[in-house]
């Protein structure tokens, strides 16, 4: 079992200096990863200060040497594919091959999608996610990419450099509650970050992964650890990561103290 801090670059942790302090404390405390929420807007009554996830991850990458890091999760529906390819590969090189890319549909909490004219319909966002994830993996491979789809166009481009990690940067996909379509999507790639499940629903999701892949070999399963989650989730065979979650307005001193204390073993 590997343990990661799962925090939002919001409020006090929107300060890059504090995030760097957190990364250094997590390294010293023996944590295995540091994953950041990816949002551009929240309810101002909850939190106002929000930092860019990619800039924060770059700061974490240059001030750490062992931590796995990445966005958890990025909705491709509000990203453009070419900048996303360049950002992820650059960050993979900057971190010496420690990047994990979490992908999902995104949410419209406080109008995060509607306020910026983004796609809201979940079926449409699912189609964008499927097409975009396939394109991202193809672009990372170094192959010549020619693609004209309903949501993305890449007209004969070979992206270089390619990631340090082979066969690709790990792609984890968000899943929640009873929905199995996101689980099947995750099973085609490298991992799943699943929330809002009990032990029974988690086992159901893992059975679905096995039905798609044949086994859980080489597949990461990350579960959230918070006051709202059953700690028994960590005892389910197949779970490989515990993401210790903090509220969006968490005080930096609280998270920093936990980082320095290290993960439960």
């Amino acid at each position: 079992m590997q343990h990661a801090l799962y925090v939002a670059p919001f409020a006090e942790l929107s300060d890059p200096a504090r995030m760097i302090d957190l990364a250094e404390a997590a390294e010293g405390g023996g944590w295995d990863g540091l994953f950041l929420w990816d949002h551009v807007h929240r309810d101002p009554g909850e939190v106002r200060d929000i930092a860019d996830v990619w800039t924060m991850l770059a700061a974490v990458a240059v001030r750490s040497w062992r931590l796995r890091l990445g966005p958890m999760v990025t909705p491709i529906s509000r990203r453009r594919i070419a900048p996303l390819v360049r950002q992820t590969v650059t960050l993979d090189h900057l971190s010496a091959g420690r990047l994990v890319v979490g992908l999902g549909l995104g949410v419209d909490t406080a109008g995060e999608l509607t306020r910026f004219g983004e796609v809201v319909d979940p079926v449409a966002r699912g189609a964008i996610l499927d097409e975009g994830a396939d394109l991202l993996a193809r672009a990372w491979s170094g192959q010549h990419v020619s693609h004209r789809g309903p949501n993305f166009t890449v007209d004969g481009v070979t992206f270089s450099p390619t990631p340090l990690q082979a066969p690709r940067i790990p792609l984890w996909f968000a899943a929640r509650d009873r929905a199995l379509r996101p689980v099947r999507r995750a099973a085609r790639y490298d991992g799943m970050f699943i929330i809002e499940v009990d032990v029974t629903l988690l086992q159901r999701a893992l059975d679905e992964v096995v039905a798609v892949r044949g086994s859980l070999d080489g597949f990461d399963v990350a579960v959230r650890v918070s006051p709202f989650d059953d700690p028994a989730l960590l005892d389910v065979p197949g779970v490989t990561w515990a993401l210790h979650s903090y509220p969006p307005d968490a005080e930096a001193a609280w998270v920093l103290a936990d980082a320095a204390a290290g993960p439960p073993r």
Side-chain angles (χ1 to χ4, degrees):
M1 180 71 65
Q2 299 191 81
H3 293 267
L5 296 166
Y6 177 47
V7 301
F10 303 165
E12 292 184 355
L13 287 174
S14 69
D15 180 349
R18 283 177 165 154
M19 188 64 76
I20 288 170
D21 288 344
L22 178 60
E24 292 178 338
E27 282 275 3
W31 291 84
D32 302 298
L34 175 58
F35 295 104
L36 305 185
W37 301 20
D38 182 2
H39 293 276
V40 296
H41 178 73
R42 302 289 286 188
D43 181 350
E46 173 193 51
V47 66
R48 289 182 177 271
D49 296 337
I50 299 173
D52 174 66
V53 68
W54 299 101
T55 308
M56 283 296 203
L57 287 169
V60 169
V62 298
R63 297 297 287 268
S64 62
W65 63 93
R66 186 182 48 79
L67 291 172
R68 274 281 175 181
L69 54 93
M72 203 60 63
V73 296
T74 287
I76 285 186
S77 63
R78 57 174 171 82
R79 299 288 183 185
R80 298 182 66 83
I81 197 67
L84 186 59
V85 172
R86 300 301 189 192
Q87 287 169 324
T88 51
V89 172
T90 300
L91 189 52
D92 188 62
H93 280 255
L94 189 61
S95 66
R98 291 180 284 127
L99 178 64
V100 174
V101 174
L103 299 177
L105 292 186
V107 294
D108 198 31
T109 304
E112 185 172 12
L113 300 174
T114 53
R115 289 177 185 273
F116 301 104
E118 304 286 2
V119 176
V120 176
D121 178 69
V123 174
R125 280 184 284 141
I128 294 170
L129 177 56
D130 287 333
E131 185 181 347
D134 177 68
L135 259 182
L136 196 58
R138 288 167 59 193
W140 287 341
S141 73
Q143 66 180 275
H144 194 65
V145 180
S146 293
H147 175 88
R148 289 187 178 273
N151 303 293
F152 297 101
T153 296
V154 179
D155 190 8
V157 177
T158 302
F159 290 89
S160 182
T162 55
L164 295 179
Q165 297 183 84
R168 61 170 170 251
I169 298 168
L171 283 171
W172 295 0
F173 288 80
R176 70 195 312 162
D177 199 33
R178 298 177 178 274
L180 287 179
R181 183 173 180 179
V183 173
R184 289 191 287 270
R185 176 185 292 120
R188 298 196 298 269
Y189 292 92
D190 310 297
M192 172 175 66
F193 175 40
I194 189 165
I195 64 171
E196 298 175 9
V197 290
D198 57 20
V199 169
T200 299
L201 289 177
L202 175 58
Q203 188 60 63
R204 175 173 174 259
L206 296 181
D207 290 344
E208 190 69 17
V209 172
V210 171
V212 174
R213 295 175 61 90
S215 76
L216 292 174
D217 293 347
F219 187 78
D220 277 308
V221 178
V223 300
R224 186 181 62 184
V225 177
S226 78
F228 308 103
D229 298 301
D230 184 350
L233 293 172
L234 298 182
D235 297 325
V236 175
V239 173
T240 59
W241 280 86
L243 271 55
H244 297 256
S245 180
Y246 293 81
D249 59 350
E251 293 182 2
W254 169 25
V255 187
L256 190 64
D258 285 356
R265 296 297 185 186

